[in-house]
Amino acid sequence: MSDFYVSKLAVVGVGLIGGSFALALKQAGLVGEVVGIGRGRANLETACERGIIDSFTHSLVEGVAEADVVFLATPVRTLARVAAEALPYMKKGAVLTDGGSVKAEVVAAIEPLLPEGVHFVPGHPVAGTERSGAEAAFATLYRGRRCILTPTSRTDRGALELIRQLWRAAGSEVVDMTPEKHDHILAAISHLPHMVAYALVNAVVGCGDQDEDILSYSAGGFRDFTRIASSDPTMWRDIALSNREALLEVIGIFEKSLATVKSDIAAGNADALFDFFQRSKQRRDAIV
Amino acid sequence: MSDFYVSKLAVVGVGLIGGSFALALKQAGLVGEVVGIGRGRANLETACERGIIDSFTHSLVEGVAEADVVFLATPVRTLARVAAEALPYMKKGAVLTDGGSVKAEVVAAIEPLLPEGVHFVPGHPVAGTERSGAEAAFATLYRGRRCILTPTSRTDRGALELIRQLWRAAGSEVVDMTPEKHDHILAAISHLPHMVAYALVNAVVGCGDQDEDILSYSAGGFRDFTRIASSDPTMWRDIALSNREALLEVIGIFEKSLATVKSDIAAGNADALFDFFQRSKQRRDAIV
């Protein structure tokens, strides 16, 4: 394991994702010093108090200068800009990696910016909660979860192996795939459900009379079902726009699926409805 | 409270809903003897062993003959048929009530069948879990939940008051509304989300390659979001068909809501997406 020791880790954006990564690596004994980089002083102080980082700076240039690994954990639409600022100041042999929820757009923007001898390993730990900030970080967030790495033909194999081992040390099962395949899969299992949840809450509110809050009748099922509609609107706006094509495609598939249910209800096709619900139930039950 | 004591309660369909009602009333000391009526002997024996019912019979005619209150807790599409069989054998002054998830169709089918002096109070306890059968019943299922009663101009006021007090004793907040309003509200907050969940699982499965199970990448959010797609297909086929008009209307509203998100993604309308997600989040957060 000592082959993969990181003397200095810089985390840009010390929130749930970045903070939990630092905590997990500290707990695994794989990291020496951790510097936190961000704008909000209160959050960075919280991160220091909680032992997530050892020091912090508001200067990206200063923070990344001596780092062996730089982890970008800022909102997906800021990743290319932050990388463009940081890369010229990273040392030879250092590795930039990220935790962005969309990969093709990020990879296309960052790879052309890489200086000679500085490496980039695009990644996405498939984990999270509705909470955010350094306060929400915890060392076991990634345990038993998947982390998807999306190397390209330009990705350095040594750097890829390092980042793979770090995620394994954090407890994740690491899977490699192309950025495009990642975006297609995440569009289906994550981005589409969020769009559907937001649209569902909006629709149900719209079904009520003006003088009555229809949501007050909702039982546990509705609350569980719409929990993800409580997610951060900025984050999901950015994801939706960054993964536009794949997301539009899966929304289209979902619309057809719902249209089938609707026309079977309208036509009173009892057997078709039963078969449809039964198949969905079987597939759903198989994953739990 | 003794004004509302029920000497003999008959429960037709001793599953989660019927069994929990009996247990709650026993615990409240409001019921003398409980007879369970059903087809499956094993389930009825379980109900006896668990103290949910005191005796059982497979004969509806025999089971309801001496009952003061008959609670129908069978699937919604069977309610009218079971009521038609039971009503001629119920004693004068007895009250028939039900727990069906759809009300207008049930009320329209049962009210014309009422013999002189036998009363009907349509109801719907808004509670449940994905589990079913007498094994799943528990006394506190209805505690803190709403129970909607949908009396009509033909409903006997004394019978309505009795059933209201029984649900209150089970821990529910009782609300009265018309059958039509009930069906509209439930279509929005319960039936629509179930249709969406079934359609979503079906769509996500359809997004995968033949050689890969895309669901294996799903994280906690997807599992929570689609939990209700594990519900009983027979029950949901029946609800969908029984509440067809209201459900088709709210599916239409949801389709428009999703179409708005889709076109904002396609057009890159960042501000419109943010506002939409933000509004949904605020409405969702207000109910938890």
Side-chain angles (χ1 to χ4, degrees):
Chain A
M1 288 289 261
S2 58
D3 287 0
F4 300 107
Y5 187 80
V6 177
S7 298
K8 186 167 179 178
L9 170 70
V11 175
V12 189
V14 191
L16 174 70
I17 296 300
S20 296
F21 185 62
L23 279 175
L25 295 185
K26 283 196 163 195
Q27 201 167 80
L30 279 190
V31 70
E33 182 192 347
V34 179
V35 56
I37 306 168
R39 284 181 302 193
R41 187 173 186 91
N43 183 64
L44 290 166
E45 281 172 350
T46 299
C48 267
E49 284 158 21
R50 296 196 58 214
I52 296 169
I53 57 178
D54 302 299
S55 64
F56 65 82
T57 170
H58 300 306
S59 159
L60 195 59
V61 171
E62 193 183 295
V64 306
E66 298 302 316
D68 304 291
V69 172
V70 175
F71 181 47
L72 303 184
T74 58
V76 71
R77 292 233 119 183
T78 67
L79 291 171
R81 181 174 52 70
V82 175
E85 261 187 73
L87 282 166
Y89 300 94
M90 285 176 63
K91 66 182 187 187
K92 292 258 182 231
V95 180
L96 180 73
T97 188
D98 77 307
S101 308
V102 177
K103 297 266 64 84
E105 186 182 274
V106 171
V107 171
I110 293 179
E111 281 197 334
L113 309 174
L114 290 176
E116 183 69 27
V118 176
H119 310 302
F120 175 49
V121 179
H124 176 211
V126 186
T129 71
E130 275 68 58
R131 301 187 56 220
S132 59
E135 196 60 68
F138 58 103
T140 56
L141 173 62
Y142 302 114
R143 199 169 284 173
R145 312 305 289 270
R146 285 209 174 150
C147 180
I148 302 174
L149 300 180
T150 62
T152 71
S153 57
R154 295 189 52 182
T155 307
D156 180 82
R157 295 299 118 174
L160 174 62
E161 200 51 29
L162 170 63
I163 300 304
R164 185 194 312 285
Q165 294 302 332
L166 296 183
W167 282 111
R168 282 196 183 145
S172 291
E173 179 197 350
V174 183
V175 182
D176 291 8
M177 62 180 71
T178 64
E180 293 70 27
K181 183 172 176 184
H182 167 277
D183 289 355
H184 180 72
I185 289 180
L186 268 288
I189 61 161
S190 172
H191 309 170
L192 170 65
H194 278 81
M195 299 303 114
V196 167
Y198 283 125
L200 183 70
V201 171
N202 178 281
V204 170
V205 168
C207 289
D209 296 338
Q210 285 185 312
D211 56 342
E212 181 164 46
D213 187 356
I214 200 167
L215 289 181
S216 70
Y217 289 96
S218 61
F222 186 80
R223 285 171 211 205
D224 290 353
F225 189 61
T226 58
R227 184 177 60 84
I228 59 177
S230 288
S231 302
D232 180 35
T234 305
M235 176 176 156
W236 284 97
R237 173 198 65 194
D238 288 359
I239 290 173
L241 295 176
S242 295
N243 200 18
R244 186 185 327 205
E245 279 180 44
L247 185 49
L248 290 174
E249 186 192 330
V250 297
I251 291 175
I253 293 171
F254 170 76
E255 286 177 329
K256 285 204 191 77
S257 175
L258 184 63
T260 300
V261 174
K262 191 183 179 190
S263 71
D264 283 333
I265 293 171
N269 289 335
D271 292 347
L273 284 174
F274 177 83
D275 290 345
F276 190 99
F277 298 163
Q278 172 85 339
R279 270 200 314 276
S280 290
K281 175 177 165 59
Q282 284 165 349
R283 297 309 294 260
R284 169 59 178 62
D285 289 347
I287 63 168
V288 291
Chain B
M1 287 291 260
S2 58
D3 286 0
F4 300 106
Y5 187 80
V6 177
S7 298
K8 186 167 179 177
L9 170 70
V11 175
V12 189
V14 190
L16 173 70
I17 297 299
S20 296
F21 185 63
L23 279 174
L25 295 185
K26 282 195 164 195
Q27 201 167 81
L30 278 192
V31 70
E33 182 191 347
V34 179
V35 56
I37 306 168
R39 282 182 303 193
R41 186 173 187 92
N43 183 63
L44 291 165
E45 281 171 350
T46 299
C48 268
E49 283 158 21
R50 296 197 58 216
I52 297 169
I53 57 178
D54 302 299
S55 64
F56 66 81
T57 170
H58 301 305
S59 160
L60 194 59
V61 172
E62 194 183 293
V64 304
E66 297 302 317
D68 304 291
V69 172
V70 175
F71 181 47
L72 302 185
T74 58
V76 70
R77 292 234 120 181
T78 67
L79 291 171
R81 181 173 51 70
V82 175
E85 261 187 74
L87 281 166
Y89 300 95
M90 286 175 64
K91 66 183 185 185
K92 291 257 181 229
V95 180
L96 180 73
T97 187
D98 78 308
S101 308
V102 177
K103 297 265 64 84
E105 185 182 275
V106 171
V107 171
I110 293 179
E111 280 197 333
L113 309 174
L114 289 175
E116 183 69 29
V118 176
H119 311 301
F120 176 49
V121 179
H124 176 211
V126 185
T129 71
E130 276 66 61
R131 301 188 57 222
S132 59
E135 197 60 68
F138 57 103
T140 57
L141 173 62
Y142 301 114
R143 199 169 286 173
R145 312 304 290 268
R146 284 209 175 152
C147 179
I148 302 174
L149 300 181
T150 62
T152 70
S153 57
R154 294 191 52 182
T155 307
D156 180 83
R157 297 296 120 173
L160 173 62
E161 201 50 30
L162 170 64
I163 300 303
R164 185 192 314 284
Q165 294 302 332
L166 296 182
W167 283 112
R168 283 195 182 146
S172 291
E173 178 196 352
V174 182
V175 182
D176 290 8
M177 62 181 71
T178 64
E180 293 69 27
K181 182 172 178 185
H182 167 278
D183 290 356
H184 180 72
I185 288 180
L186 268 288
I189 61 159
S190 171
H191 309 170
L192 170 65
H194 278 81
M195 299 303 113
V196 167
Y198 283 125
L200 183 69
V201 172
N202 179 280
V204 170
V205 169
C207 290
D209 296 338
Q210 283 186 315
D211 56 342
E212 181 164 43
D213 187 356
I214 201 167
L215 289 180
S216 70
Y217 290 94
S218 61
F222 186 80
R223 286 171 213 202
D224 290 352
F225 189 62
T226 58
R227 185 176 59 84
I228 58 176
S230 287
S231 302
D232 180 36
T234 304
M235 176 177 154
W236 283 97
R237 174 198 65 196
D238 289 359
I239 290 173
L241 295 176
S242 296
N243 199 18
R244 187 185 327 205
E245 280 179 44
L247 184 51
L248 290 173
E249 187 192 331
V250 297
I251 291 175
I253 293 171
F254 170 76
E255 285 176 329
K256 285 202 189 78
S257 175
L258 185 64
T260 301
V261 174
K262 191 183 177 191
S263 69
D264 283 334
I265 293 171
N269 290 336
D271 292 347
L273 284 174
F274 177 82
D275 290 345
F276 190 98
F277 297 163
Q278 173 85 340
R279 270 200 315 278
S280 290
K281 175 178 165 58
Q282 284 165 348
R283 298 309 295 259
R284 169 59 179 60
D285 289 348
I287 62 167
V288 291

